[in-house]
Amino acid sequence: MQHSEGFLKVSEDAKARVPQTNVQKVENWIKNGEKFHLIDVREKDEWDAGHLPQAKHLSKGIIERDIEKQIPDKDAKIVLYCGGGYRSSLAGDNLMKMGYRNVISMDGGFKGWKDAGHEVLKD
């Protein structure tokens, strides 16, 4: 997907502040039973087409509104993903502004996960 210059600018700005991880590390955390919240910030139609195991859906449009009800612990480890890692960084930046201290964006996003051949679930 070709992203606009303005979108890339704000996304890269957010990525500079939000810790990044990669698909392989997230897959290892899942396999090893590490405790963390895995949040898909994509739109509902993207979620319906497939998502990571153990993920919960809180789209970028509502995550700031609903995160405190879903995850009240501001120290909880939260891994966000989107299609490629841009929207998850933007959402992560806002969660950090809300006081969440352990927010991570999965670089590569759903596309990277799927391209690596990892399990994808559909509801």
Side-chain angles (χ1 to χ4, degrees):
M1 171 178 266
Q2 184 80 14
H3 295 301
S4 71
E5 183 179 327
F7 176 73
L8 290 173
K9 183 178 178 182
V10 297
S11 297
E12 291 302 325
D13 181 58
K15 279 187 170 193
R17 287 184 296 281
V18 178
Q20 304 289 306
T21 191
N22 61 44
V23 167
Q24 190 58 52
K25 284 184 183 175
V26 173
E27 199 243 349
N28 288 340
W29 293 338
I30 291 170
K31 277 186 178 177
N32 294 332
E34 186 163 330
K35 186 178 178 183
F36 67 99
H37 299 274
L38 182 60
I39 307 294
D40 185 325
V41 301
R42 299 175 303 151
E43 298 300 318
K44 183 169 180 352
D45 62 323
E46 293 173 290
W47 167 266
D48 290 343
H51 53 86
L52 277 63
Q54 301 179 13
K56 292 182 181 178
H57 184 238
L58 284 174
S59 69
K60 189 176 169 305
I62 64 162
I63 192 167
E64 295 88 351
R65 183 192 72 195
D66 294 351
I67 191 71
E68 291 172 307
K69 293 176 199 151
Q70 296 288 322
I71 307 170
D73 179 3
K74 300 283 175 111
D75 290 315
K77 183 175 184 175
I78 301 171
V79 177
L80 306 174
Y81 75 91
C82 60
Y86 296 102
R87 291 175 288 173
S88 56
S89 293
L90 290 168
D93 195 32
N94 278 340
L95 294 188
M96 290 170 64
K97 289 174 184 173
M98 292 173 69
Y100 285 90
R101 293 175 279 280
N102 198 3
V103 178
I104 303 165
S105 175
M106 185 176 81
D107 195 37
F110 182 75
K111 181 182 182 330
W113 181 270
K114 191 174 175 183
D115 288 351
H118 299 310
E119 180 182 13
V120 172
L121 300 179
K122 291 184 181 182
D123 287 346

